[in-house]
Amino acid sequence: MFKRLKGSRRQVVPALKRWLSQEGRVLVTSSSVAGAVILVRLLGILQPSEWALFDQYFRWRPLEAVDQRIVIIGIDEQDLQKYGFPTSDRILAQLLEKISTARPRVIGLDVYRDLPIEPGQAELEKAFKTIPNLIGIEFLETQKNSKVDPPKLLARTNQIGFNNSARDADGKVRRSLLYINGKDGKIKTSFALQIALIYLKEQGIKDKPSPENPQELMLGNTVFHWFKPNDGAYIRASNTGYQFLVNLRGPGGTFPTIPMRDILENRIPPEQLKNRIIVIGSTASSIKDLEFTSYSDGVFKASIPIYGVELQAQLISQIISAVLDGRTLIKVWPEPLEWLWIFGWSWVGAALSWKQQSPRRSLGLIILITIGITGTTYLAFLGGWWIPVIPANLALVGSAGVIIAHFAHLQGQLKRSTEFLQSIINTIPDPIFVKNKDHQKIVLNQAYCKFVGYPLKVLMEKRDEELFPKYEAELFRQQDEQAFHTTWEQENEEQLTDAHGVTHYIATKRSLHQDAAGNLFLVGVIRDITERKLLEDNLKQIAAELKRSNAELRVSAEHDPLTGLPNRTLFQERLGQSIEWATSQNRLVALLFLDLNDFKHVNDNLGHQVGDLLLKTVGDRLKGCLRGSDTVSRLGGDEFTVILPGIPSKSDAARVAQKILDTITQDTILEGHRILITTSIGISMYPTDTQDLETLIKLADTAMYRAKTTGKNLYEFASS
């Protein structure tokens, strides 16, 4: 028995060696390429292209039917012109009452109402109290944006939801938030989920934890799987809160939309709203409540966003249709399975190319397989699966390319070995010249003659000074002389003007050679780099132009286009600098918030052109009555700020505020109209009021509103 085992071993070892010699390169190549692709993917380099193809799959997919359960009440441009902007509390209250009488299942108010907008505050509060199925919105504070509080009456009864969106690096929304931990430690529910839960509750469906993972939400038989940082094409994505990948129905216009004026003017029968989900929000492009989704882009067309209220309707529909209709959610593979998928296609590419041993046949097969991978993953996408496409195709093509390059190298080596025997009599393709120590040309190849444009006889008889411009010939002689006095190879960039007057940029490699008799020869090999030099010059010009454009864009980005004053971004920067300086110098900083009184009447009665001229005049007056070290900014609308760094005392800030009041109230005549404008000023002091920048701003803003409500045309300190 021992002899039989020994004999089997003798047969297995040679077979294993043969297998390794044949398949080893395929295995090494496929493993190396797959590892490189996975590494590149983990670095996030492939993420944008994978997102783009994922979005394209959405756009290729047939459009789904309109979800009739949801109706959008849009506040469009005509509504803004008719009822004003922002919509007053009275108009909003009337809208809610008329919708409520139609008995919808739930009403979602995707309109911020953290501050009263008179007239009609009492009427709106009454609507909030008497409509039990009303859900308002809030915006939770983020690193980039301040929070927007919900209506207080709705917050007390927990009739609110946040509308924060999880945007990707390209600004698109591919994920939705269900829950998030607020800064107060309480769990916040999204606007879309709040509405969906009310609707589903009437269907007898309540939220509960998933049996498989108690941390995941289950509605009916549908589990909303918690998004992980590396799901799908994502690499180290932020998974703050409870997120899930959304399967949007389509582009904008997916839901029935009714303008607000049709509701207020009783043009819509109650049956169109009864038992529906009503979502109220802006559909006016001027409000800029816009969101980009997978449907926003297209081939050869600009990105088209959807309105924020449409996005909320999409998210509501996603939740409800997944629970009631069995509509699929986006699902992904575990990361190890994705790695195995990438390695598998890498092995296929290497194995096929090794077997074919023909670049042309291999290329044709690889193209067909990449089309097949794309088609297969698209069919899987229709079933709700997001499978990596770009990494799989990249691994396939990469491993095939390595094997093809290997065979091409072997073929090239064979060809060079065959041609080497003929190289003695063949013409060398690069322009080559050989000179002696007296700078006389002794050997020239045909490529040199063709490049320079003279016959061989002329070139051999004449010196460089007779063939080329004087400065070129002198430089050639200097470079040749330097090569004769050194022992190492040199390469220099030069200019050469041929017989036709065309100037070429060349790179000349010069080296010294000695024959058996001790004769010294200079061999020069010329390479035409004209295209490269022209490209470099163009790139330098482009770089200079970009530098100038970037400087102009920075100035434009930091200043208000109407008044030329610093905008909100530069105001924040200047205020931070003033506070840092005041801290180091133990000085005071005064922040003044200004709001023009009754500016809306100027716009309404005299037109926006006069209003814009008035804003410019106010900006000029503010700059004219302050020090050069003070900063005047326009935050937007009729709101201005003034930063007084190094102010000696609170009384000095009051003196400046009074000076501003007197300056603003001066008579103003614009386009024949005599205008009397006043302002209200709020003042906060650093560090006496607060040492926090954001709090300093809020205190000044609050003081300004107190001044406005107290009597206008006066100033108020935050500390008072």
Side-chain angles (χ1 to χ4, degrees):
M1 183 175 179
F2 175 79
K3 290 182 178 180
R4 287 199 301 270
L5 290 173
K6 189 174 181 180
S8 300
R9 182 180 178 186
R10 288 176 179 174
Q11 295 174 355
V12 169
V13 171
L16 181 61
K17 289 182 177 180
R18 286 195 300 271
W19 183 86
L20 288 175
S21 64
Q22 295 172 3
E23 302 296 331
R25 182 174 293 275
V26 171
L27 185 60
V28 170
T29 299
S30 58
S31 300
S32 301
V33 172
V37 171
I38 291 172
L39 178 60
V40 169
R41 190 172 190 243
L42 291 175
L43 292 174
I45 298 174
L46 301 181
Q47 186 172 244
S49 58
E50 290 192 76
W51 282 346
L53 188 57
F54 178 69
D55 295 344
Q56 188 61 51
Y57 279 4
F58 270 105
R59 295 190 290 271
W60 282 341
R61 186 177 67 178
L63 292 178
E64 298 184 45
V66 174
D67 192 343
Q68 298 291 343
R69 292 170 297 208
I70 301 174
V71 176
I72 296 175
I73 305 299
I75 305 174
D76 59 17
E77 297 291 352
Q78 294 186 41
D79 291 331
L80 296 182
Q81 295 173 7
K82 186 169 185 177
Y83 300 105
F85 176 78
T87 307
S88 69
D89 291 350
R90 175 167 296 160
I91 295 299
L92 201 56
Q94 292 174 3
L95 178 66
L96 291 173
E97 291 292 343
K98 289 181 179 293
I99 294 173
S100 179
T101 57
R103 293 191 296 172
R105 291 279 186 91
V106 59
I107 304 172
L109 181 61
D110 187 17
V111 177
Y112 291 124
R113 197 53 53 144
D114 56 328
L115 296 174
I117 300 177
E118 296 291 355
Q121 179 184 0
E123 298 170 31
L124 184 59
E125 290 180 351
K126 180 182 177 182
F128 287 162
K129 291 179 181 178
T130 57
I131 301 177
N133 58 344
L134 173 64
I135 300 296
I137 64 164
E138 65 177 336
F139 186 88
L140 303 180
E141 185 178 0
T142 65
Q143 293 180 349
K144 296 182 179 180
N145 303 100
S146 301
K147 67 174 183 177
V148 179
D149 291 326
K152 293 181 180 179
L153 290 175
L154 296 180
R156 291 173 189 166
T157 55
N158 198 29
Q159 293 176 247
I160 56 169
F162 65 83
N163 69 338
N164 298 58
S165 298
R167 296 183 182 86
D168 293 330
D170 59 358
K172 292 184 179 179
V173 177
R174 300 181 180 90
R175 296 167 285 152
S176 176
L177 280 161
L178 294 176
Y179 298 102
I180 196 169
N181 289 323
K183 289 195 172 183
D184 56 0
K186 297 180 180 179
I187 296 178
K188 304 285 187 176
T189 306
S190 71
F191 179 73
L193 181 58
Q194 282 279 41
I195 293 175
L197 289 175
I198 294 176
Y199 187 90
L200 294 173
K201 187 176 181 180
E202 293 196 14
Q203 304 285 334
I205 299 174
K206 296 183 179 180
D207 55 318
K208 57 183 178 180
S210 169
E212 299 178 359
N213 185 356
Q215 293 184 340
E216 292 185 335
L217 173 67
M218 184 173 183
L219 292 170
N221 296 322
T222 303
V223 177
F224 293 82
H225 294 291
W226 201 306
F227 172 81
K228 299 180 181 63
N230 283 2
D231 276 357
Y234 288 94
I235 303 297
R236 297 181 299 279
S238 172
N239 64 336
T240 303
Y242 188 162
Q243 304 178 23
F244 74 101
L245 293 168
V246 295
N247 182 9
L248 301 180
R249 281 185 170 273
T254 307
F255 302 93
T257 303
I258 300 172
M260 178 178 70
R261 59 186 176 278
D262 285 356
I263 300 295
L264 294 174
E265 296 170 8
N266 300 318
R267 288 199 287 264
I268 302 300
E271 290 74 18
Q272 286 189 232
L273 307 181
K274 186 177 180 181
N275 293 326
R276 306 286 183 89
I277 297 173
I278 308 299
V279 187
I280 305 169
S282 168
T283 55
S285 57
S286 62
I287 303 300
K288 297 182 179 180
D289 180 16
L290 303 172
E291 297 284 358
F292 289 89
T293 68
S294 297
Y295 287 98
S296 296
D297 295 336
V299 180
F300 306 120
K301 71 175 185 179
S303 297
I304 302 175
I306 64 173
Y307 296 109
V309 67
E310 290 181 320
L311 176 62
Q312 294 301 326
Q314 290 266 14
L315 300 180
I316 297 167
S317 176
Q318 163 77 101
I319 297 171
I320 293 175
S321 59
V323 177
L324 298 181
D325 307 332
R327 187 170 175 268
T328 183
L329 297 167
I330 300 296
K331 302 178 287 292
V332 298
W333 281 348
E335 201 166 19
L337 184 57
E338 291 182 342
W339 294 351
L340 185 61
W341 163 265
I342 294 169
F343 171 80
W345 288 114
S346 180
W347 183 86
V348 168
L352 280 177
S353 299
W354 184 270
K355 185 177 181 180
Q356 294 296 322
Q357 297 190 6
S358 168
R360 181 175 297 179
R361 289 198 300 269
S362 298
L363 183 61
L365 280 174
I366 295 304
I367 291 175
L368 290 176
I369 294 173
T370 55
I371 295 173
I373 293 174
T374 305
T376 301
T377 54
Y378 173 69
L379 293 176
F381 173 79
L382 295 179
W385 286 99
W386 186 6
I387 300 174
V389 185
I390 302 295
N393 282 330
L394 191 59
L396 173 76
V397 173
S399 60
V402 170
I403 299 298
I404 291 172
H406 171 70
F407 282 114
H409 174 70
L410 293 179
Q411 293 173 0
Q413 286 287 89
L414 178 61
K415 184 179 180 181
R416 283 192 294 272
S417 299
T418 304
E419 292 176 347
F420 177 75
L421 298 175
Q422 303 175 357
S423 62
I424 298 175
I425 60 174
N426 283 347
T427 301
I428 299 175
D430 290 327
I432 295 177
F433 63 87
V434 181
K435 296 181 179 180
N436 60 19
K437 61 181 180 180
D438 297 324
H439 299 277
Q440 293 175 334
K441 296 184 285 291
I442 57 175
V443 176
L444 299 174
N445 66 351
Q446 287 298 321
Y448 183 90
C449 300
K450 183 178 180 181
F451 182 72
V452 175
Y454 292 102
L456 177 62
K457 183 178 180 180
V458 174
L459 290 171
M460 295 298 292
E461 291 176 351
K462 294 186 178 183
R463 302 178 67 85
D464 287 349
E465 291 80 359
E466 300 174 273
L467 299 170
F468 307 110
K470 182 178 179 181
Y471 70 93
E472 289 183 2
E474 290 177 353
L475 181 60
F476 294 158
R477 188 176 184 86
Q478 291 175 9
Q479 303 290 11
D480 293 345
E481 190 68 28
Q482 185 177 1
F484 274 116
H485 287 85
T486 56
T487 58
W488 57 84
E489 187 177 83
Q490 296 185 25
E491 185 170 0
N492 306 100
E493 292 186 2
E494 305 153 337
Q495 288 184 354
L496 184 150
T497 302
D498 63 19
H500 307 291
V502 178
T503 300
H504 303 268
Y505 289 94
I506 60 174
T508 306
K509 184 178 292 185
R510 293 174 172 87
S511 58
L512 292 178
H513 299 270
Q514 195 172 31
D515 61 11
N519 295 312
L520 197 63
F521 304 104
L522 174 67
V523 178
V525 181
I526 295 175
R527 183 162 47 92
D528 189 356
I529 59 171
T530 304
E531 291 186 4
R532 193 195 78 189
K533 293 293 291 184
L534 293 176
L535 180 60
E536 289 176 356
D537 292 341
N538 288 336
L539 289 176
K540 289 178 182 178
Q541 293 178 3
I542 292 172
E545 184 65 20
L546 285 175
K547 185 176 180 181
R548 182 187 62 80
S549 299
N550 288 337
E552 293 176 355
L553 286 173
R554 176 174 174 82
V555 173
S556 176
E558 293 181 342
H559 289 78
D560 173 48
L562 178 63
T563 63
L565 296 174
N567 61 12
R568 186 180 296 273
T569 300
L570 189 53
F571 157 73
Q572 294 271 4
E573 180 180 336
R574 294 275 181 87
L575 182 57
Q577 293 171 352
S578 299
I579 288 177
E580 288 179 4
W581 179 86
T583 302
S584 62
Q585 301 295 324
N586 196 23
R587 302 293 295 272
L588 297 175
V589 176
L591 174 61
L592 283 64
F593 254 63
L594 289 75
D595 188 88
L596 301 182
N597 299 319
D598 302 320
F599 177 76
K600 184 177 183 299
H601 295 313
V602 176
N603 273 339
D604 292 344
N605 298 328
L606 303 181
H608 289 282
Q609 182 175 352
V610 175
D612 290 346
L613 290 174
L614 180 58
L615 291 174
K616 292 180 182 178
T617 302
V618 170
D620 293 338
R621 288 182 179 179
L622 288 173
K623 288 190 293 185
C625 70
L626 295 171
R627 303 173 299 178
S629 60
D630 301 333
T631 298
V632 181
S633 306
R634 181 187 176 215
L635 302 188
D638 59 341
E639 290 187 349
F640 296 81
T641 62
V642 175
I643 303 172
L644 305 176
I647 197 77
S649 64
K650 184 176 180 180
S651 60
D652 292 283
R655 179 179 55 80
V656 173
Q658 187 58 50
K659 183 178 179 182
I660 291 174
L661 292 174
D662 297 337
T663 302
I664 296 298
T665 54
Q666 294 175 5
D667 286 344
T668 304
I669 298 178
L670 298 173
E671 294 190 353
H673 301 285
R674 191 180 190 88
I675 301 172
L676 177 62
I677 194 73
T678 62
T679 186
S680 300
I681 303 175
I683 309 171
S684 60
M685 303 291 295
Y686 174 89
T688 56
D689 289 336
T690 180
Q691 297 184 12
D692 178 66
L693 184 146
E694 295 296 332
T695 306
L696 190 72
I697 294 174
K698 291 179 180 178
L699 289 174
D701 189 37
T702 303
M704 180 270 289
Y705 276 104
R706 190 165 65 248
K708 184 178 283 289
T709 56
T710 302
K712 301 181 180 180
N713 198 29
L714 48 81
Y715 61 86
E716 286 280 352
F717 280 92
S719 57
S720 62

